[in-house]
């Protein structure tokens, strides 16, 4: 088993960090460009394993994908109805977004496709997408009664039909899959969710000339006739990657970090709200739009944090940030109570279990696992320990920050950061 040693920071973290491209937006940029019929230049693409899985799948489906550099590529599709039957199995790797969004697109295509993925993706629930797509007329088969990988999508018997779907979960992957199938369906398709999840699909479809109607928690799409690819998509930096530095800068005494080019789409900024409630010192500078999405630079400085309570309502706006928020909570005064976080059990690993089990190795007794959340006792006495990443990138990065602020950590299976942030450990060294 591979391991990495992270040392305790000897001084405040200092410097400027250019935040790599947003993972969710990078996925969508390649997928949607592959449905256009003119070349799209994608800039600041996230060159990480998850997005490379999407790029490889779109290539296998007949799109031309040319990398000019690590982070810049040109994608040329064959039009909205121009995808080709893949010659072999599509591998979504570790990526739920690749698999779920592509199921939505492929459900409407006149050819067969079969998906696989890594061990983690084989455990994750796919019925949440397969069920509604089947209600639209899709024919999708998978293990465990059409709920898990491997999955095969067979051409539908007739054109998919639009529907109104009340989703039991606030999930952008579920919402996106249904909307993408809706583009090819007869009649309109509406997805309503308990709380609004990230809206990058809606934002980017608008950039391709697709009109969507948004009312409260519902989005409606009409069958799409014209799909006009923009010449260029510039991907803003990922706030989910910036989150590690927002927390590290807030909790390592004497820190001051400038984070350059961070997406601040309001459906993603729950972390800013929570950290500010905790007393963090974060200022936004140079607010602008990047590729149709709001972006800014962020200055974060060390401050005393206090515990907070939050739950289901804000969850979709910070769903991927719970592990690193838990790190902030361990360094805050007082308890932090997180509820409505049951979705974390079906991420790359069961993150509630992983946080409780692994963080308690560094902070004995400080994290209590609840059915749908966590209770974190702040002011924890941090000690050095060996902890396991569960091959989950966000657990590995959160452990690294916890070790940095505490007494160091040895992380088992640390390379999973390649899923979303390949330069993470190098950047952590550079700011010390
Ligand atoms: C994503 C949506 C979220 C998030 C994932 C990326 C997306 O999942 O956790 O990392 O790109 O749509 P859910 O929408 O299923 O919660």
């Amino acid at each position: 088993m591979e391991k990495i040693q992270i040392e305790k920071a000897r001084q405040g973290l200092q410097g400027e960090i250019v935040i790599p491209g947003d993972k969710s937006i990078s996925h969508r940029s390649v997928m949607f460009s592959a449905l256009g019929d003119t070349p799209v230049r994608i800039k600041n693409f996230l060159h990480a394993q998850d997005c490379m899985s999407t790029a490889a799948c779109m290539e296998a489906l007949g799109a031309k994908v040319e990398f000019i550099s690590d982070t810049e590529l040109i994608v040329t599709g064959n039009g909205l109805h121009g995808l080709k039957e893949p010659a072999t199995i599509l591998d979504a790797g570790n990526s739920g977004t690749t698999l779920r969004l592509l199921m939505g697109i492929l459900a409407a295509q006149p050819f067969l496709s079969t998906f696989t993925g890594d061990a983690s993706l084989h455990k994750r629930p796919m019925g949440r997408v397969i069920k509604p797509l089947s209600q639209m007329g899709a024919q999708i088969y998978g293990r465990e009664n059409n709920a898990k990988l491997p999955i095969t999508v067979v051409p539908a018997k007739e054109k998919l039909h639009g529907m109104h779907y009340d989703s039991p979960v606030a999930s952008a992957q579920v919402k996106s899959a249904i909307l993408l199938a809706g583009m090819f369906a007869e009649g309109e398709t509406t997805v309503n969710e308990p709380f609004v999840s990230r809206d990058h699909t809606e934002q980017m479809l608008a950039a391709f000339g697709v009109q969507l109607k948004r009312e409260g928690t519902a989005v409606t799409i009409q069958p799409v006739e014209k799909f006009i690819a923009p010449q260029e998509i510039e991907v803003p930096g990922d706030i989910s990657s910036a989150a590690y530095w927002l927390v590290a800068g807030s909790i390592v005494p004497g820190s001051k970090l400038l984070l350059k080019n961070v997406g601040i789409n309001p459906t993603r900024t729950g972390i800013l709200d929570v950290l500010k409630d905790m007393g963090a010192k974060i200022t936004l500078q140079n607010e602008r739009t990047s590729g149709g999405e709001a972006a800014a630079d962020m200055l974060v400085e060390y401050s005393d944090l206090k515990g907070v309570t939050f739950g289901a309502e804000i969850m979709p706006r910070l769903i991927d940030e719970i592990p690193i928020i838990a790190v902030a909570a361990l360094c805050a005064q007082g308890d932090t109570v997180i509820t409505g976080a049951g979705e974390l059990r079906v991420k790359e690993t069961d993150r509630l279990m992983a946080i409780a089990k692994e963080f308690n190795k560094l902070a004995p007794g400080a994290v209590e696992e609840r059915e749908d959340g966590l209770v974190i006792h702040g002011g924890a006495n941090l000690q050095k320990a060996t902890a396991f990443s569960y091959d989950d990138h966000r657990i590995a990065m959160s452990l690294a920050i916890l070790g940095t602020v505490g007494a160091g950590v040895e992380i088992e299976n640390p390379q999973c950061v390649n899923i979303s942030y390949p330069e993470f450990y190098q950047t952590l060294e550079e700011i010390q």
Side-chain angles (χ1 to χ4, degrees), residues 23-24 28 97 100 128 170-173 198 319-320 343 347:
K23 179 154 81 74
S24 293
R28 287 157 173 84
T97 305
R100 294 195 176 113
R128 54 176 58 196
S171 158
Q173 295 180 355
R198 65 188 65 189
I319 185 77
D320 293 335
E343 272 297 297
K347 292 295 176 188

Side-chain angles (χ1 to χ4, degrees), residues 1-4 387-389 410-416 425:
M1 188 182 286
E2 216 184 317
K3 290 176 185 171
I4 195 171
F388 182 42
S389 69
E410 180 179 64
I411 305 172
E412 295 170 327
N413 283 15
Q415 288 315 327
C416 49
Y425 296 119

Side-chain angles (χ1 to χ4, degrees), residues 171-213:
S171 158
Q173 295 180 355
V174 172
K175 172 176 66 177
S176 301
I178 299 167
L179 291 175
L180 292 171
M183 296 208 303
F184 299 94
E186 227 160 59
E188 67 176 29
T189 301
T190 299
V191 185
N192 185 34
E193 2 178 43
F195 301 105
V196 176
S197 62
R198 65 188 65 189
D199 67 354
H200 304 301
T201 294
E202 295 90 312
Q203 298 274 5
M204 198 172 290
L205 284 179
F208 279 75
V210 176
Q211 297 303 319
L212 295 130
K213 197 170 81 205

Side-chain angles (χ1 to χ4, degrees), residues 48 59 62 67 73 76 147 198 217 255 291 370 399 425 430 432:
E59 214 169 12
F67 275 89
L73 67 162
T76 314
R198 65 188 65 189
T217 52
S255 295
R370 297 284 152 86
L399 282 168
Y425 296 119
E430 281 166 8
Q432 303 203 43

